Amino acid sequence: MSKLNPRTTKYEFMGPIGACLISVGVPSMVYGLYYGCSEQTGGCPPPTLTLSKITSELTALPATLPLHDISWWKGVWHEIWDTEAALMYLAWYAFCVVAWRVLPGAQVEGTRMRDGNIQKYKINAFSTFLLSLGLVTGVIVRYGPEKFTFLYERWIGFATTAILMSVFQAFVVYAMSFREGTLLALGGNSGNCVYDWYIGRQLNPTLSILGAEFDIKSFNELRPGLILWALIDISMMCEQAVRRGGLGGVTDSMWLVLLFQIGYVADGLYNEPAILTTMDITTDGFGFMLSVGDLAWVPFVYSLQARYLVFRPVLLGPVATALIVAVNATGYYIFRESNGQKNDFRNGKDTRGLQYFTTESGSKLITSGWWGRSRHPNYLGDILMALAWSLPTGFETPITYFYVAYFAVLLIHRQIRDDENCEKKYGKDWEKYKKMVPYRIIPYIY
């Protein structure tokens, strides 16, 4: 195992200091986007948050935070904690686990790991999604949209519980990584507990649940957080419907956000096997970085546009609607076609006659089609879709475009990480490949 699990010698994200900053920064940003853009605080951003106001409040603060003041902490906790929301979130997570176990699904093999084993995954995330949508639709039809507004009303409590679940899971899988015979992630075995806890020490943490092998990483990647994102959007639509006299009063902008985002979720879940070849599954360990991203960041940050449209409804009209649909359709086409080419090629089902370059190790790198235009064409599609999701909110505030800026930075960082890994894997062949496919994401630009 010492040969299979070499010591990590290179840090990412600025090492332990960066891991600490991100571990605090990500939950803080979840709360910041809520308090900086919500009806409860007065707007997006709240009108009281002027520069002079912030300056005066900061100068009035004590030199150190009142860590000894129990009432101060009680006030903060009372603001962000909601027991009922916590119980509902835990019930939701349990529902996803039971659905994974009970609903039928094919057993699909992942990539061969460096110890020679091949992990098997149960594919039924889309069935879980359909079951969830069916139950929610039944509630709305039977009792009206007012019965599904609780995700809007208790948003902060749900977000807090998801963050705490992320922290809890990160500690559990870190402890599990010390079991004998465990295969570790090549980037998560530094020996620094803070960094390894954040980046993920074990490659594929699994548990035996209800008589089956439960892969924690792939489960969190697609089920509780991703499906919850769609349900939050629906709850936002229901809240707007209640305020505007029923479902007929829902704005075209809200319908577009629901169509784009729920469609994206459905597409990812329907094509579940495609994630088995992604860096998250094949390379990264499962730690706080992935747990907080899957469980808290995705559902509560990605639904910002729908939440904004509840208290700032926007009427687009047919022309603006058609243009936004065209942007999203273009992004989706690039995203799906490029991923389809790659997956078919890797699985030996290429019907397009794609050209490729064979490395000395025997690996094949595509040099035509979308993958001949750039090394990550699917990222271009992602960025265009992200833009389309924000355009329905109009241009009153830049905060609703946070997702576009963040996602572009995330994908560029992921592209850099992927290029570095490929350079290690293919050596001089990677330099030859880069000359054949010089553009990273956007053809002729980047």
Side-chain angles (χ1 to χ4, degrees):
M1 293 305 299
S2 61
K3 293 181 179 179
L4 286 173
N5 296 324
R7 181 69 73 180
T8 301
T9 57
K10 182 180 179 181
Y11 285 131
E12 296 185 69
F13 304 103
M14 299 184 295
I17 295 176
C20 288
L21 293 175
I22 298 173
S23 297
V24 173
V26 168
S28 299
M29 183 59 73
V30 172
Y31 290 123
L33 286 172
Y34 175 75
Y35 287 108
C37 184
S38 73
E39 185 175 25
Q40 288 73 11
T41 56
C44 189
T48 56
L49 290 182
T50 61
L51 182 60
S52 59
K53 177 74 172 177
I54 294 174
T55 304
S56 62
E57 289 180 352
L58 287 177
T59 55
L61 287 175
T64 59
L65 287 175
L67 301 180
H68 61 283
D69 188 347
I70 297 178
S71 63
W72 185 84
W73 286 107
K74 284 184 177 179
V76 173
W77 183 248
H78 178 75
E79 173 68 27
I80 65 175
W81 177 253
D82 183 332
T83 302
E84 290 187 26
L87 293 175
M88 285 189 281
Y89 180 87
L90 294 176
W92 161 249
Y93 197 95
F95 166 82
C96 290
V97 174
V98 173
W100 162 82
R101 183 66 183 92
V102 173
L103 294 177
Q107 293 287 335
V108 175
E109 293 184 345
T111 59
R112 185 178 297 277
M113 295 180 286
R114 63 181 185 276
D115 61 358
N117 293 324
I118 298 178
Q119 191 96 348
K120 290 187 176 181
Y121 302 88
K122 187 175 182 179
I123 305 299
N124 64 0
F126 189 66
S127 300
T128 303
F129 175 64
L130 292 180
L131 176 60
S132 304
L133 284 188
L135 293 173
V136 169
T137 301
V139 169
I140 296 173
V141 171
R142 177 66 178 83
Y143 300 104
E146 62 272 12
K147 291 297 182 181
F148 200 69
T149 60
F150 59 87
L151 285 169
Y152 178 80
E153 297 161 355
R154 299 178 177 273
W155 190 98
I156 197 70
F158 280 103
T160 297
T161 309
I163 290 170
L164 292 177
M165 172 66 88
S166 314
V167 174
F168 171 75
Q169 287 198 10
F171 278 111
V172 169
V173 296
Y174 180 73
M176 289 171 55
S177 71
F178 291 94
R179 294 180 298 181
E180 185 177 355
T182 297
L183 185 65
L184 305 182
L186 291 176
N189 188 26
S190 69
N192 183 286
C193 60
V194 173
Y195 180 80
D196 293 345
W197 173 84
Y198 165 77
I199 203 74
R201 191 168 185 268
Q202 186 172 352
L203 184 60
N204 295 106
T206 58
L207 293 171
S208 181
I209 294 182
L210 302 174
E213 287 297 308
F214 177 74
D215 185 87
I216 299 173
K217 181 165 63 172
S218 63
F219 175 83
N220 281 317
E221 188 86 4
L222 287 180
R223 287 171 173 80
L226 201 62
I227 300 176
L228 182 58
W229 172 16
L231 299 186
I232 291 175
D233 280 355
I234 295 174
S235 184
M236 305 300 111
M237 179 270 291
C238 288
E239 179 68 25
Q240 191 188 76
V242 170
R243 299 182 182 196
R244 295 176 63 85
L247 294 175
V250 176
T251 61
D252 49 6
S253 57
M254 179 67 85
W255 284 122
L256 277 187
V257 170
L258 260 66
L259 173 67
F260 295 160
Q261 296 189 357
I262 295 179
Y264 183 84
V265 170
D267 179 82
L269 298 173
Y270 183 78
N271 294 283
E272 182 178 2
I275 73 160
L276 303 182
T277 58
T278 62
M279 182 186 298
D280 287 355
I281 301 297
T282 63
T283 305
D284 293 335
F286 185 75
F288 186 68
M289 179 180 73
L290 288 183
S291 67
V292 76
D294 293 339
L295 300 180
W297 187 264
V298 167
F300 295 101
V301 171
Y302 290 10
S303 58
L304 171 62
Q305 294 88 356
R307 184 167 60 80
Y308 171 81
L309 289 173
V310 171
F311 60 94
R312 286 287 191 276
V314 175
L315 295 174
L316 296 171
V319 175
T321 297
L323 291 174
I324 296 172
V325 168
V327 173
N328 188 78
T330 301
Y332 178 77
Y333 173 77
I334 296 172
F335 174 81
R336 181 47 53 209
E337 273 295 300
S338 58
N339 278 331
Q341 287 181 6
K342 179 183 69 173
N343 290 328
D344 288 346
F345 184 83
R346 287 183 174 180
N347 294 324
K349 301 177 183 178
D350 175 32
T351 59
R352 303 171 180 85
L354 296 175
Q355 300 175 10
Y356 58 88
F357 165 61
T358 304
T359 67
E360 290 183 357
S361 63
S363 299
K364 297 176 180 178
L365 303 176
I366 306 173
T367 58
S368 67
W370 281 105
W371 298 90
R373 295 183 176 96
S374 76
R375 301 197 289 272
H376 297 277
N378 51 337
Y379 291 178
L380 172 60
D382 259 330
I383 293 171
L384 287 175
M385 284 189 288
L387 176 61
W389 299 351
S390 297
L391 287 173
T393 64
F395 303 99
E396 185 178 334
T397 174
I399 296 179
T400 55
Y401 288 81
F402 168 81
Y403 174 70
V404 186
Y406 150 77
F407 205 46
V409 172
L410 172 72
L411 292 178
I412 291 172
H413 179 260
R414 180 169 290 198
Q415 167 263 310
I416 293 172
R417 290 181 66 206
D418 188 54
D419 279 10
E420 290 175 350
N421 289 331
C422 288
E423 188 174 1
K424 294 177 184 176
K425 183 177 181 180
Y426 301 121
K428 61 182 181 181
D429 284 330
W430 184 246
E431 293 300 322
K432 181 179 178 180
Y433 170 74
K434 287 197 297 183
K435 292 179 180 178
M436 301 173 73
V437 186
Y439 299 103
R440 299 174 175 91
I441 297 177
I442 306 175
Y444 308 107
I445 296 176
Y446 174 77

